[in-house]
């Protein structure tokens, strides 16, 4: 399985959007591998982490996010489940779950209903250790805005999560402990 080849099926190689997606994926891969190596006792699958971290945002092209160069019809919050559909069609079922479950540090069915989110009615919470590592690593990087190109601080991440509720902050803090954040 070759993630850049899969990405190239949906994104024009060399385009700004392709470069942004691959660049972001590589940042998340590097962070996720660093995290996984700190916790060998959890037995994370490094090969899977590399593949899934590269593909976790594959669904963004179907969203209406012009600042990224995406001119689809769906809100950005949908990119995870849209990516899941793409990867399921390719037979990559575990990778597909990473796509769906990484958005917003995970979204519960209760949150979907409470906020009337345009998402399937199901829990989308990272479960496997690899899903959790990738979701955690993804929070350190942005694809746009003033943080593009640099790793966010823990303070930046916790501040951004706070607007979605204290349970998001608590989940991230638990991951910091689990993943032995330096």
């Amino acid at each position: 399985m070759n993630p850049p080849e899969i990405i190239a099926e949906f994104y024009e190689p060399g385009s700004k959007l392709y470069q942004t997606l691959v660049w972001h994926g590589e940042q998340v891969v590097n962070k996720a591998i660093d995290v996984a190596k700190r916790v060998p006792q959890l037995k994370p699958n490094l090969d899977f982490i590399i593949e899934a971290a590269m593909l976790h945002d594959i669904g963004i092209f179907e969203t209406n996010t012009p600042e990224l160069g995406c001119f689809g019809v769906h809100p950005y919050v949908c990119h995870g489940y849209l990516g899941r559909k793409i990867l399921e069609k390719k037979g990559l079922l575990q990778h597909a779950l990473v796509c769906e479950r990484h958005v917003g540090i995970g979204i519960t069915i209760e949150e979907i209903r409470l906020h009337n989110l345009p998402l399937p009615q199901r829990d989308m919470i990272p479960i496997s250790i690899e899903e959790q590592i990738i979701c955690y690593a993804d929070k350190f990087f942005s694809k746009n805005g003033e943080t593009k190109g640099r790793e966010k601080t823990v303070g930046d991440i916790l501040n951004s999560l706070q607007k979605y509720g204290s349970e998001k902050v608590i989940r991230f803090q638990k991951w910091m402990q689990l993943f032995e954040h330096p």
Side-chain angles (χ1 to χ4, degrees), residues 2 12 17 46 49-50 55-56 62 75-78 85 87 92 99 109 113 118 122 135 150 181:
N2 184 333
E12 182 66 36
L17 183 55
L46 297 181
I49 287 173
I50 291 167
L55 296 171
H56 77 278
E62 293 194 46
Y76 188 74
V77 72
C78 296
K85 289 168 67 172
L87 294 184
L92 300 170
C99 290
I109 191 170
R113 291 175 178 156
R122 59 181 175 248
C135 186
R150 72 168 176 87
H181 184 81

Side-chain angles (χ1 to χ4, degrees), residues 27-67:
Q27 287 183 303
V28 175
V29 165
N30 291 333
K31 181 72 170 183
I33 292 300
D34 288 345
V35 170
K37 286 181 177 178
R38 285 198 305 264
V39 290
Q41 70 278 13
L42 300 176
K43 299 180 177 21
N45 180 330
L46 297 181
D47 291 333
F48 176 79
I49 287 173
I50 291 167
E51 294 169 357
M54 280 302 297
L55 296 171
H56 77 278
D57 277 337
I58 197 162
I60 63 171
F61 75 95
E62 293 194 46
T63 70
N64 183 13
T65 316
E67 62 271 22

Side-chain angles (χ1 to χ4, degrees), residues 11-166:
Y11 296 81
E12 182 66 36
S15 69
K16 182 180 176 190
L17 183 55
Y18 176 90
Q19 291 172 339
T20 297
L21 183 64
V22 169
W23 173 75
H24 174 70
E26 289 171 349
Q27 287 183 303
V28 175
V29 165
N30 291 333
K31 181 72 170 183
I33 292 300
D34 288 345
V35 170
K37 286 181 177 178
R38 285 198 305 264
V39 290
Q41 70 278 13
L42 300 176
K43 299 180 177 21
N45 180 330
L46 297 181
D47 291 333
F48 176 79
I49 287 173
I50 291 167
E51 294 169 357
M54 280 302 297
L55 296 171
H56 77 278
D57 277 337
I58 197 162
I60 63 171
F61 75 95
E62 293 194 46
T63 70
N64 183 13
T65 316
E67 62 271 22
L68 291 179
C70 302
F71 302 97
V73 298
H74 302 279
Y76 188 74
V77 72
C78 296
H79 79 277
Y81 92 84
L82 295 168
R84 176 183 177 167
K85 289 168 67 172
I86 290 167
L87 294 184
E88 281 180 340
K89 287 179 184 172
K90 299 195 76 48
L92 300 170
L93 306 182
Q94 293 306 116
H95 299 73
L97 291 175
V98 172
C99 290
E100 181 171 279
R101 294 175 178 170
H102 86 278
V103 176
I105 205 165
I107 303 172
T108 66
I109 191 170
E110 292 82 15
E111 292 169 315
I112 292 167
R113 291 175 178 156
L114 178 67
H115 301 293
N116 198 30
L117 297 175
L119 299 171
Q121 299 286 305
R122 59 181 175 248
D123 282 327
M124 300 179 183
I125 303 291
I127 297 172
S128 74
I129 196 64
E130 292 84 4
E131 290 169 355
Q132 292 177 59
I133 288 172
I134 293 167
C135 186
Y136 175 78
D138 185 48
K139 296 311 294 177
F140 286 90
F141 302 100
S142 176
K143 288 179 285 303
N144 67 347
E146 57 194 53
T147 60
K148 183 177 180 179
R150 72 168 176 87
E151 187 169 317
K152 296 177 190 175
T153 67
V154 168
D156 292 337
I157 295 166
L158 294 175
N159 285 337
S160 70
L161 290 174
Q162 187 59 53
K163 64 184 166 194
Y164 299 106
S166 61

